[in-house]
Amino acid sequence: MQDSRFKRMSMEADSGTDPNYGVQMVASTPADSPGKRPRLGFLVPLLVFMALVVILGIGLTLDPRKVPSPLIGKPVPEFSLPPVKGRTLGLASADLKGEVSLVNVFASWCVPCRQEHPLFVELKAKGVVPIHGINYKDQPDAAARWLDELGDPYTRTGADLDGRVSIDWGVYGVPETFLVDREGRIAYKHIGPLTPQIMSEKLMPLIERLRR
């Protein structure tokens, strides 16, 4: 009798009818194998990383000089800067109303700024258009010495020592020049050194139109 009972239990185990064996069989089926879950978890961050690489790659191909400023047509940011060392007039947003003017962001350590500076000196001598300066992250003594040696074409010059005002203007890097209308709105932005050709072909027609 014991032999027949032992045989029946053996047959049940082999056929999978014993509940305990059934649980073991289900737990070990490939569908629920934990070995496949880490593979899916690895793919998600990989896909996210690849998407970020593509976005960054596209961004690096864009030329900031060809990207229009979101401030075009909008009032200049509210700001007030003290004068550069050795100058008496600082620059504030309220000073940029009432006449068409240029605002040039420059620094003594900026090589392209030195290239465009003679053009601003010439424009001031001819009385073409008022020019204001924002001195970007410069040493006070260096900025004063630079203007003393090369000439000061600016009506007003604000010292942006920490660069925060320039950031509000959307400056990518010096030099940059903005054309401001008589209502204090930004009408045009030029990135890089200003040249006589750009001045005559782009800025002067805009200046004349804004003055009408």
Side-chain angles (χ1 to χ4, degrees):
M1 189 176 227
Q2 289 181 353
D3 291 341
S4 60
R5 183 179 177 184
F6 178 80
K7 290 181 180 179
R8 186 171 60 254
M9 291 176 63
S10 300
M11 291 175 62
E12 290 176 351
D14 293 338
S15 62
T17 58
D18 190 287
N20 293 329
Y21 282 97
V23 171
Q24 292 177 7
M25 291 173 65
V26 171
S28 61
T29 53
D32 292 333
S33 175
K36 297 200 175 196
R37 294 178 183 175
R39 189 173 299 176
L40 180 60
F42 173 75
L43 287 176
V44 173
L46 178 61
L47 292 174
V48 173
F49 174 75
M50 292 176 64
L52 291 175
V53 170
V54 172
I55 295 173
L56 179 60
I58 295 174
L60 291 175
T61 61
L62 297 176
D63 185 353
R65 299 188 184 193
K66 298 180 181 179
V67 178
S69 170
L71 296 179
I72 299 298
K74 296 181 180 180
V76 300
E78 291 292 329
F79 73 99
S80 180
L81 290 173
V84 169
K85 184 176 180 179
R87 274 65 203 166
T88 58
L89 298 177
L91 183 64
S93 50
D95 300 319
L96 300 176
K97 294 182 179 180
E99 61 181 355
V100 178
S101 62
L102 293 178
V103 176
N104 176 241
V105 185
F106 73 99
S108 65
W109 44 263
C110 166
V111 175
C113 296
R114 186 177 292 269
Q115 297 173 0
E116 69 175 0
H117 195 76
L119 176 60
F120 290 122
V121 174
E122 181 181 353
L123 293 175
K124 180 181 180 180
K126 294 181 178 179
V128 175
V129 61
I131 307 169
H132 305 291
I134 295 179
N135 185 226
Y136 177 74
K137 288 188 175 182
D138 217 342
Q139 296 294 326
D141 289 337
R145 183 168 56 253
W146 197 74
L147 292 175
D148 290 339
E149 294 176 355
L150 300 181
D152 187 352
Y154 306 114
T155 303
R156 292 176 172 270
T157 316
D160 188 14
L161 297 177
D162 57 12
R164 292 183 181 179
V165 170
S166 298
I167 292 175
D168 291 340
W169 279 71
V171 171
Y172 289 100
V174 291
E176 291 191 14
T177 302
F178 298 83
L179 176 61
V180 181
D181 67 15
R182 58 172 55 116
E183 281 77 35
R185 296 189 300 257
I186 297 175
Y188 181 81
K189 174 182 178 179
H190 176 74
I191 300 175
L194 199 62
T195 65
Q197 181 179 1
I198 295 172
M199 187 68 197
S200 61
E201 294 180 0
K202 291 185 178 182
L203 282 175
M204 284 309 304
L206 282 174
I207 292 172
E208 293 173 0
R209 189 171 69 196
L210 292 173
R211 283 175 171 170
R212 295 193 190 112

Short mmCIF file of all heavy atoms in Angstrom, two decimals, residues 74-82 90-99 101 103 132 134 156 158 165 168-169 180-186:
data_model
loop_
_atom_site.label_atom_id
_atom_site.label_comp_id
_atom_site.label_asym_id
_atom_site.label_seq_id
_atom_site.Cartn_x
_atom_site.Cartn_y
_atom_site.Cartn_z
N LYS A 74 11.18 95.09 -29.59
CA LYS A 74 10.77 95.23 -28.20
C LYS A 74 11.58 96.33 -27.50
O LYS A 74 12.68 96.66 -27.95
CB LYS A 74 10.95 93.91 -27.47
CG LYS A 74 10.06 92.79 -28.01
CD LYS A 74 10.26 91.51 -27.22
CE LYS A 74 9.37 90.39 -27.76
NZ LYS A 74 9.56 89.13 -26.99
N PRO A 75 11.05 96.89 -26.42
CA PRO A 75 11.81 97.92 -25.68
C PRO A 75 13.11 97.35 -25.14
O PRO A 75 13.20 96.16 -24.83
CB PRO A 75 10.85 98.32 -24.54
CG PRO A 75 9.50 97.90 -25.01
CD PRO A 75 9.70 96.68 -25.86
N VAL A 76 14.11 98.21 -25.03
CA VAL A 76 15.37 97.76 -24.44
C VAL A 76 15.12 97.33 -23.00
O VAL A 76 14.20 97.84 -22.34
CB VAL A 76 16.43 98.88 -24.49
CG1 VAL A 76 16.70 99.32 -25.91
CG2 VAL A 76 16.00 100.07 -23.64
N PRO A 77 15.88 96.38 -22.49
CA PRO A 77 15.69 95.95 -21.09
C PRO A 77 15.90 97.11 -20.13
O PRO A 77 16.68 98.02 -20.40
CB PRO A 77 16.77 94.88 -20.91
CG PRO A 77 17.13 94.43 -22.28
CD PRO A 77 16.95 95.63 -23.17
N GLU A 78 15.17 97.07 -19.03
CA GLU A 78 15.35 98.10 -18.00
C GLU A 78 16.70 97.90 -17.31
O GLU A 78 17.01 96.81 -16.84
CB GLU A 78 14.23 98.01 -16.97
CG GLU A 78 12.86 98.42 -17.49
CD GLU A 78 12.78 99.90 -17.79
OE1 GLU A 78 13.48 100.69 -17.09
OE2 GLU A 78 12.05 100.29 -18.72
N PHE A 79 17.51 98.95 -17.29
CA PHE A 79 18.82 98.85 -16.66
C PHE A 79 19.34 100.24 -16.32
O PHE A 79 18.84 101.25 -16.81
CB PHE A 79 19.82 98.14 -17.60
CG PHE A 79 20.25 98.99 -18.77
CD1 PHE A 79 21.47 99.68 -18.74
CD2 PHE A 79 19.46 99.11 -19.90
CE1 PHE A 79 21.88 100.46 -19.80
CE2 PHE A 79 19.85 99.89 -20.97
CZ PHE A 79 21.07 100.56 -20.93
N SER A 80 20.35 100.28 -15.50
CA SER A 80 21.04 101.52 -15.16
C SER A 80 22.47 101.16 -14.77
O SER A 80 22.69 100.40 -13.82
CB SER A 80 20.33 102.23 -14.01
OG SER A 80 21.00 103.44 -13.68
N LEU A 81 23.43 101.69 -15.52
CA LEU A 81 24.84 101.37 -15.30
C LEU A 81 25.63 102.63 -14.94
O LEU A 81 25.39 103.70 -15.51
CB LEU A 81 25.45 100.74 -16.56
CG LEU A 81 24.98 99.34 -16.93
CD1 LEU A 81 25.55 98.94 -18.29
CD2 LEU A 81 25.37 98.33 -15.87
N PRO A 82 26.57 102.52 -14.03
CA PRO A 82 27.43 103.67 -13.71
C PRO A 82 28.40 103.92 -14.85
O PRO A 82 28.63 103.04 -15.69
CB PRO A 82 28.16 103.20 -12.44
CG PRO A 82 28.23 101.71 -12.59
CD PRO A 82 26.93 101.32 -13.25
N GLY A 90 26.95 107.74 -17.18
CA GLY A 90 26.67 106.32 -17.31
C GLY A 90 25.58 106.11 -18.34
O GLY A 90 25.26 107.01 -19.13
N LEU A 91 25.00 104.93 -18.35
CA LEU A 91 23.98 104.61 -19.35
C LEU A 91 22.84 103.86 -18.69
O LEU A 91 23.05 102.94 -17.90
CB LEU A 91 24.58 103.76 -20.48
CG LEU A 91 23.65 103.41 -21.64
CD1 LEU A 91 23.21 104.67 -22.39
CD2 LEU A 91 24.33 102.42 -22.59
N ALA A 92 21.60 104.29 -19.03
CA ALA A 92 20.39 103.64 -18.51
C ALA A 92 19.37 103.55 -19.64
O ALA A 92 19.48 104.22 -20.67
CB ALA A 92 19.83 104.42 -17.33
N SER A 93 18.38 102.71 -19.43
CA SER A 93 17.36 102.52 -20.46
C SER A 93 16.63 103.82 -20.77
O SER A 93 16.24 104.07 -21.91
CB SER A 93 16.36 101.44 -20.00
OG SER A 93 15.90 101.70 -18.69
N ALA A 94 16.47 104.69 -19.77
CA ALA A 94 15.79 105.97 -20.00
C ALA A 94 16.57 106.87 -20.94
O ALA A 94 15.98 107.76 -21.58
CB ALA A 94 15.55 106.67 -18.67
N ASP A 95 17.88 106.67 -21.06
CA ASP A 95 18.71 107.50 -21.94
C ASP A 95 18.55 107.14 -23.41
O ASP A 95 19.03 107.87 -24.28
CB ASP A 95 20.19 107.36 -21.56
CG ASP A 95 20.46 107.78 -20.13
OD1 ASP A 95 19.87 108.79 -19.70
OD2 ASP A 95 21.25 107.10 -19.45
N LEU A 96 17.88 106.04 -23.69
CA LEU A 96 17.79 105.55 -25.06
C LEU A 96 16.44 105.86 -25.69
O LEU A 96 15.97 105.14 -26.58
CB LEU A 96 18.05 104.03 -25.08
CG LEU A 96 19.43 103.62 -24.56
CD1 LEU A 96 19.56 102.11 -24.53
CD2 LEU A 96 20.54 104.24 -25.39
N LYS A 97 15.82 106.91 -25.25
CA LYS A 97 14.55 107.35 -25.81
C LYS A 97 14.69 108.79 -26.31
O LYS A 97 15.44 109.58 -25.74
CB LYS A 97 13.43 107.27 -24.77
CG LYS A 97 13.09 105.85 -24.35
CD LYS A 97 11.93 105.82 -23.34
CE LYS A 97 11.59 104.40 -22.93
NZ LYS A 97 10.47 104.36 -21.96
N GLY A 98 13.97 109.08 -27.37
CA GLY A 98 13.97 110.45 -27.89
C GLY A 98 14.74 110.62 -29.18
O GLY A 98 14.54 111.61 -29.90
N GLU A 99 15.66 109.69 -29.50
CA GLU A 99 16.43 109.79 -30.74
C GLU A 99 16.92 108.40 -31.15
O GLU A 99 17.08 107.50 -30.32
CB GLU A 99 17.62 110.73 -30.58
CG GLU A 99 18.62 110.29 -29.52
CD GLU A 99 19.78 111.27 -29.37
OE1 GLU A 99 19.86 112.22 -30.15
OE2 GLU A 99 20.60 111.06 -28.44
N SER A 101 19.64 105.81 -32.06
CA SER A 101 21.02 105.71 -31.58
C SER A 101 21.56 104.30 -31.75
O SER A 101 20.80 103.35 -31.99
CB SER A 101 21.12 106.14 -30.11
OG SER A 101 20.36 105.27 -29.30
N VAL A 103 23.94 101.32 -29.80
CA VAL A 103 24.49 100.86 -28.53
C VAL A 103 25.51 99.77 -28.86
O VAL A 103 25.15 98.73 -29.41
CB VAL A 103 23.41 100.32 -27.58
CG1 VAL A 103 24.04 99.77 -26.32
CG2 VAL A 103 22.41 101.42 -27.23
N HIS A 132 26.28 104.95 -27.99
CA HIS A 132 26.45 104.70 -26.57
C HIS A 132 27.18 103.36 -26.40
O HIS A 132 27.08 102.48 -27.25
CB HIS A 132 25.10 104.65 -25.85
CG HIS A 132 24.27 105.87 -26.06
ND1 HIS A 132 24.62 107.10 -25.52
CD2 HIS A 132 23.11 106.07 -26.74
CE1 HIS A 132 23.71 108.00 -25.85
NE2 HIS A 132 22.80 107.41 -26.61
N ILE A 134 28.33 99.97 -23.89
CA ILE A 134 28.21 99.12 -22.71
C ILE A 134 29.53 98.37 -22.61
O ILE A 134 29.87 97.56 -23.46
CB ILE A 134 27.04 98.14 -22.82
CG1 ILE A 134 25.70 98.89 -22.83
CG2 ILE A 134 27.06 97.15 -21.65
CD1 ILE A 134 24.48 97.99 -22.97
N ARG A 156 27.45 108.23 -24.02
CA ARG A 156 27.34 107.67 -22.68
C ARG A 156 27.95 106.28 -22.68
O ARG A 156 27.83 105.53 -23.66
CB ARG A 156 25.86 107.58 -22.24
CG ARG A 156 25.19 108.95 -22.00
CD ARG A 156 23.72 108.78 -21.65
NE ARG A 156 23.12 110.04 -21.24
CZ ARG A 156 23.08 110.49 -20.00
NH1 ARG A 156 23.60 109.74 -19.02
NH2 ARG A 156 22.52 111.63 -19.71
N GLY A 158 28.27 102.89 -20.12
CA GLY A 158 27.96 102.20 -18.87
C GLY A 158 28.91 101.05 -18.61
O GLY A 158 29.29 100.31 -19.52
N VAL A 165 23.68 93.01 -17.37
CA VAL A 165 22.90 93.84 -18.29
C VAL A 165 23.07 93.34 -19.72
O VAL A 165 22.09 93.25 -20.49
CB VAL A 165 23.31 95.32 -18.17
CG1 VAL A 165 22.68 96.15 -19.29
CG2 VAL A 165 22.89 95.88 -16.82
N ASP A 168 20.89 90.45 -20.34
CA ASP A 168 19.51 90.87 -20.55
C ASP A 168 19.29 91.36 -21.99
O ASP A 168 18.19 91.23 -22.53
CB ASP A 168 19.12 91.97 -19.56
CG ASP A 168 19.03 91.46 -18.13
OD1 ASP A 168 18.90 90.24 -17.95
OD2 ASP A 168 19.11 92.29 -17.20
N TRP A 169 20.33 91.91 -22.57
CA TRP A 169 20.25 92.36 -23.96
C TRP A 169 20.38 91.19 -24.94
O TRP A 169 20.26 91.37 -26.15
CB TRP A 169 21.35 93.38 -24.25
CG TRP A 169 21.04 94.78 -23.79
CD1 TRP A 169 21.00 95.23 -22.51
CD2 TRP A 169 20.75 95.92 -24.62
NE1 TRP A 169 20.70 96.58 -22.49
CE2 TRP A 169 20.53 97.02 -23.77
CE3 TRP A 169 20.66 96.11 -25.99
CZ2 TRP A 169 20.23 98.29 -24.25
CZ3 TRP A 169 20.34 97.37 -26.48
CH2 TRP A 169 20.13 98.45 -25.62
N VAL A 180 18.75 101.35 -31.92
CA VAL A 180 17.59 101.62 -31.08
C VAL A 180 16.81 102.80 -31.66
O VAL A 180 17.40 103.84 -32.01
CB VAL A 180 18.02 101.94 -29.62
CG1 VAL A 180 16.81 102.20 -28.74
CG2 VAL A 180 18.86 100.79 -29.06
N ASP A 181 15.49 102.64 -31.78
CA ASP A 181 14.68 103.73 -32.34
C ASP A 181 14.38 104.78 -31.27
O ASP A 181 14.75 104.63 -30.11
CB ASP A 181 13.41 103.20 -33.00
CG ASP A 181 12.42 102.58 -32.00
OD1 ASP A 181 12.56 102.82 -30.78
OD2 ASP A 181 11.51 101.86 -32.44
N ARG A 182 13.69 105.83 -31.66
CA ARG A 182 13.46 106.94 -30.73
C ARG A 182 12.47 106.60 -29.62
O ARG A 182 12.40 107.31 -28.62
CB ARG A 182 12.96 108.18 -31.49
CG ARG A 182 11.70 107.97 -32.29
CD ARG A 182 11.19 109.30 -32.83
NE ARG A 182 12.22 109.97 -33.62
CZ ARG A 182 12.14 110.21 -34.93
NH1 ARG A 182 11.05 109.83 -35.58
NH2 ARG A 182 13.08 110.82 -35.57
N GLU A 183 11.73 105.49 -29.76
CA GLU A 183 10.85 105.04 -28.68
C GLU A 183 11.57 104.11 -27.70
O GLU A 183 10.97 103.62 -26.76
CB GLU A 183 9.62 104.32 -29.26
CG GLU A 183 8.54 105.24 -29.80
CD GLU A 183 8.94 105.80 -31.16
OE1 GLU A 183 9.59 105.06 -31.92
OE2 GLU A 183 8.61 106.96 -31.45
N GLY A 184 12.84 103.86 -27.96
CA GLY A 184 13.59 102.98 -27.08
C GLY A 184 13.41 101.50 -27.39
O GLY A 184 13.64 100.66 -26.51
N ARG A 185 13.03 101.19 -28.62
CA ARG A 185 12.89 99.79 -29.03
C ARG A 185 14.09 99.37 -29.86
O ARG A 185 14.64 100.15 -30.63
CB ARG A 185 11.61 99.59 -29.83
CG ARG A 185 10.32 99.85 -29.06
CD ARG A 185 9.12 99.40 -29.89
NE ARG A 185 9.05 100.12 -31.14
CZ ARG A 185 8.22 101.13 -31.40
NH1 ARG A 185 7.39 101.52 -30.46
NH2 ARG A 185 8.22 101.71 -32.57
N ILE A 186 14.46 98.10 -29.73
CA ILE A 186 15.58 97.56 -30.50
C ILE A 186 15.11 97.26 -31.92
O ILE A 186 14.19 96.46 -32.13
CB ILE A 186 16.14 96.29 -29.84
CG1 ILE A 186 16.70 96.62 -28.45
CG2 ILE A 186 17.22 95.65 -30.71
CD1 ILE A 186 17.16 95.40 -27.66
#
